[in-house]
Amino acid sequence: MDGKWIYNDDESGVWNKCDEAYDTREEAIAAGREAAKEYGWTDLFVARKEIAKPKISIDAYEILNNAALELNDRYGFCTELGECFLSSFSDTERSLLQEMLDKAMTEWLKSINYQSGLFICCEMERVPIGEEETK
């Protein structure tokens, strides 16, 4: 779907008027003009889809910090426990944890075959529609 073309009757908002994506701009314009005739649209816009690929990062420091807070809570808000816990890890050890978390997230997304249905519209343009096309 990445790089394919779609059409809509509005340049903003949700682009859900187009049921399929087209290989070329010209194919999207032709299909959009047919939809404009059918639905009486006064405007037609085409755009190239770019799949939005989220970068999901789990912050290793945040996880360690949450563990430190849990230690403090469990043992009567003894803040020294949490501080000692946090300070017991070197930068190298925290970096290793970050790498492992990033790898685990990537593997998890792959194992569930995650396919983002999210996209952004690039190269959007208004296509003129003649009055005869909307009748």
Side-chain angles (χ1 to χ4, degrees):
M1 277 248 195
D2 212 11
K4 296 211 177 215
W5 290 83
I6 56 175
Y7 62 81
N8 200 30
D9 66 333
D10 189 354
E11 67 182 319
S12 62
V14 178
W15 279 57
N16 63 353
K17 301 294 192 302
C18 184
D19 291 332
E20 61 183 274
Y22 301 90
D23 291 327
T24 67
R25 174 185 166 276
E26 291 72 23
E27 289 173 319
I29 290 172
R33 284 190 168 144
E34 288 299 316
K37 281 184 208 176
E38 184 176 343
Y39 299 109
W41 295 348
T42 57
D43 289 310
L44 175 63
F45 296 86
V46 294
R48 187 179 52 78
K49 289 176 77 168
E50 182 179 311
I51 302 300
K53 299 171 186 149
K55 168 80 169 94
I56 302 171
S57 181
I58 301 169
D59 187 348
Y61 179 79
E62 189 67 28
I63 287 177
L64 294 173
N65 191 55
N66 287 343
L69 292 173
E70 193 277 328
L71 274 172
N72 292 341
D73 288 348
R74 186 185 313 159
Y75 295 104
F77 299 98
C78 180
T79 58
E80 291 82 18
L81 283 176
E83 290 172 14
C84 288
F85 175 77
L86 280 177
S87 66
S88 68
F89 301 105
S90 69
D91 288 344
T92 302
E93 291 166 334
R94 281 191 295 273
S95 292
L96 176 61
L97 176 59
Q98 186 63 61
E99 288 173 23
M100 292 173 75
L101 290 169
D102 290 343
K103 183 178 178 184
M105 179 57 69
T106 299
E107 288 176 6
W108 176 70
L109 289 170
K110 189 184 241 183
S111 74
I112 63 168
N113 196 25
Y114 177 74
Q115 301 291 320
S116 174
L118 307 172
F119 64 90
I120 59 171
C121 295
C122 302
E123 301 175 39
M124 182 174 34
E125 66 179 281
R126 185 177 189 280
V127 176
I129 299 180
E131 281 188 31
E132 67 281 351
E133 292 183 79
T134 60
K135 294 182 181 182

